Amino acid sequence: MKTEDYLQQKILTGIKPTGTPHFGNYFGAIKPALKYSKYFKDSLFFIADYHSLINQPKSLDLQDNIYEVAATWLACGLDPKKSLIFRQSDIPEILELAWILSCFAPKGMLNRAHAYKAFIDKNTKENKKDLESGINMGLYSYPVLMSSDILSFDSNVVPVGQDQLQHLEMCRDIAGKINHHYKNSNILTLPKALDKQELKKITGSSDNNFLENSIMGLDGQKMSKSYDNYIPLFAEEKKLRKLIMKIQTDSVGVNDPKDSNNSLIMDWYKLFATDLAREDSSFDALLNINKLVSDYKKGISWGEAKEELFQLVNKSLSGKRESYNKYMSDKKQLDKILLEGKDKARLIAKATLSRVKKVIFG
Ligand code: TRP
């Protein structure tokens, strides 16, 4: 496909409201999805709250997380006039289609889903008597619900990380089975993953490291909620500074030269500098990065390097943080935006569902 062709297409992103978004989500999901959505005719962002339900969250936590996700994406630049943002649980048609899909989803295929298999492996390792212990049907049929999210809106392209590729394959498989069974290839639209190759076709360049943009956490492991090594994207200034000061460093002497090629502080600095330069043309990323590299050679202390990083991160996020806080203190406004998104999204999902039902039930 040529770049222009994407302008006719629909891109869809589902976001699980699992907790306060962090730096990893920002660089790995939010930024790229917002950036690439501009190449598509329609972009849909939805909060996958039914998917989070498989972990049986407390009601208030789930509600908080939903607002946090919505406020984060809006603060990062999602424009509800140009894109749709809505809650999955506001679109009952998704669940109706999900049942239909489940009747065409081979059970054996779902047995092979990564999340389910990982659970079984864990139970096996722990010598559990019942290998299915702790697994609910929501977890098991997660890929079917995700397929319904995608197919309900006739999505052409879905930006997914490595961990979600299998789900997308399953979605294509199920949709293909239905189209084949009813001998009509127009019933369901088979989606494509937005991977590196696809991205290159869209943007015409290969320098985007989207999908591999995983950011390391405070301890040098991949940043993740489960490792508790993350920095919340919109931590208040004081807390942000405190957390940055916690970055683990080696024991090179205070004034000794330091290796800028092997430093988490430097890696983060580069990411934020490049990000800031895109939004603020008066900021010269290269100049600032080179300066810090040369300070490393001269023997900047870790404390000073962290301070430099803090100043940059704070500068780069403060505007968005302000906007985030505004949204969070005005839930009515958030509700309004989500309801407007719902009204538009439901029209699409209704049309898809009635098309499918017409074929099946006449
Ligand atoms: N499973 C995705 C994740 O864990 C979230 C998701 C749900 C999704 N439905 C989707 C992503 C549909 C893309 C399309 O991140």
Side-chain angles (χ1 to χ4, degrees):
M1 234 180 347
K2 292 200 222 63
T3 308
E4 308 86 74
D5 297 334
Y6 287 94
L7 290 168
Q8 308 305 320
Q9 300 234 327
K10 222 182 259 178
I11 185 168
L12 169 124
T13 305
I15 311 137
K16 247 167 91 176
T18 41
T20 313
H22 55 66
F23 285 6
N25 305 126
Y26 180 66
F27 286 110
I30 300 172
K31 276 262 143 184
L34 289 174
K35 180 172 169 199
Y36 297 117
S37 67
K38 298 198 175 78
Y39 290 92
F40 292 81
K41 176 164 168 274
D42 296 308
S43 50
L44 292 83
F45 298 87
F46 72 95
I47 303 172
D49 46 4
Y50 269 133
H51 276 113
S52 318
L53 201 56
I54 68 167
N55 300 319
Q56 301 168 356
K58 297 234 165 32
S59 169
L60 283 182
D61 290 346
L62 181 57
Q63 282 167 35
D64 276 351
N65 288 343
I66 290 169
Y67 283 127
E68 280 180 17
V69 167
T72 299
W73 283 74
L74 291 164
C76 289
L78 191 158
D79 179 353
K81 287 194 199 76
K82 295 190 184 138
S83 307
L84 288 188
I85 177 167
F86 58 95
R87 291 166 64 147
Q88 183 188 31
S89 63
D90 276 339
I91 318 287
E93 287 75 17
I94 294 178
L95 295 189
E96 215 177 319
L97 183 67
W99 172 258
I100 297 174
L101 300 181
S102 76
C103 296
F104 288 82
K107 179 166 179 291
M109 180 179 84
L110 294 175
N111 287 342
R112 291 189 292 275
H114 294 319
Y116 171 70
K117 260 177 60 185
F119 225 116
I120 296 280
D121 289 348
K122 181 170 161 276
N123 285 344
T124 311
K125 250 198 208 128
E126 289 170 6
N127 283 324
K128 289 249 169 80
K129 254 203 203 130
D130 175 9
L131 291 185
E132 309 272 346
S133 160
I135 301 173
N136 58 49
M137 279 306 292
L139 171 85
Y140 189 70
S141 48
Y142 187 109
V144 177
L145 182 58
M146 181 160 159
S147 301
S148 185
D149 297 330
I150 297 168
L151 299 170
S152 287
F153 300 100
D154 285 325
S155 320
N156 305 103
V157 175
V158 185
V160 286
Q162 201 60 32
D163 61 328
Q164 299 295 317
L165 272 178
Q166 189 197 31
H167 292 153
L168 207 69
E169 278 312 309
M170 292 182 176
C171 174
R172 292 171 58 87
D173 194 277
I174 299 169
K177 281 202 164 63
I178 292 180
N179 287 351
H180 182 256
H181 183 79
Y182 295 102
K183 299 189 179 50
N184 179 349
S185 60
N186 295 321
I187 305 173
L188 293 166
T189 306
L190 266 59
K192 262 203 224 159
L194 183 60
D195 55 17
K196 271 201 143 175
Q197 284 161 339
E198 212 57 33
L199 263 183
K200 192 174 168 197
K201 284 189 236 160
I202 299 177
T203 61
S205 89
S206 53
D207 65 347
N208 38 59
N209 42 9
F210 174 39
L211 302 176
E212 266 148 54
N213 225 346
S214 63
I215 163 165
M216 296 302 147
L218 292 166
D219 56 357
Q221 294 191 77
K222 187 182 169 191
M223 187 179 283
S224 158
K225 293 251 161 61
S226 37
Y227 300 148
D228 201 18
N229 62 358
Y230 64 94
I231 299 190
L233 185 54
F234 297 126
E236 293 305 328
E237 213 169 296
K238 253 188 167 165
K239 181 162 181 217
L240 178 65
R241 190 164 184 282
K242 219 170 138 189
L243 285 169
I244 287 182
M245 292 301 155
K246 273 194 184 167
I247 295 177
Q248 284 180 17
T249 46
D250 57 27
S251 52
V252 176
V254 181
N255 297 316
D256 290 343
K258 307 203 164 47
D259 181 4
S260 58
N261 289 319
N262 194 7
S263 156
L264 189 65
I265 300 170
M266 197 69 214
D267 293 347
W268 284 15
Y269 194 90
K270 284 181 186 162
L271 274 175
F272 277 101
T274 318
D275 189 40
L276 181 59
R278 269 194 216 111
E279 290 170 11
D280 174 358
S281 56
S282 70
F283 180 82
D284 187 332
L286 209 58
L287 191 81
N288 282 276
I289 293 170
N290 286 340
K291 169 149 190 329
L292 190 58
V293 169
S294 100
D295 288 346
Y296 265 61
K297 275 192 200 125
K298 283 186 216 145
I300 189 175
S301 73
W302 285 134
E304 285 167 319
K306 287 176 184 174
E307 185 62 33
E308 289 288 326
L309 175 63
F310 162 71
Q311 293 297 342
L312 172 68
V313 174
N314 197 41
K315 185 173 163 142
S316 145
L317 292 179
S318 60
K320 297 188 183 84
R321 180 168 57 217
E322 210 177 291
S323 157
Y324 171 82
N325 288 336
K326 245 196 208 149
Y327 279 117
M328 286 305 278
S329 62
D330 189 358
K331 305 270 166 56
K332 279 210 180 92
Q333 169 73 356
L334 283 178
D335 284 334
K336 187 168 163 265
I337 293 173
L338 292 171
L339 285 181
E340 281 168 8
K342 161 197 155 171
D343 288 340
K344 292 183 194 151
R346 250 193 116 172
L347 290 179
I348 309 173
K350 273 187 177 161
T352 308
L353 183 65
S354 61
R355 188 175 76 224
V356 175
K357 284 174 83 171
K358 185 130 196 19
V359 173
I360 298 177
F361 302 108

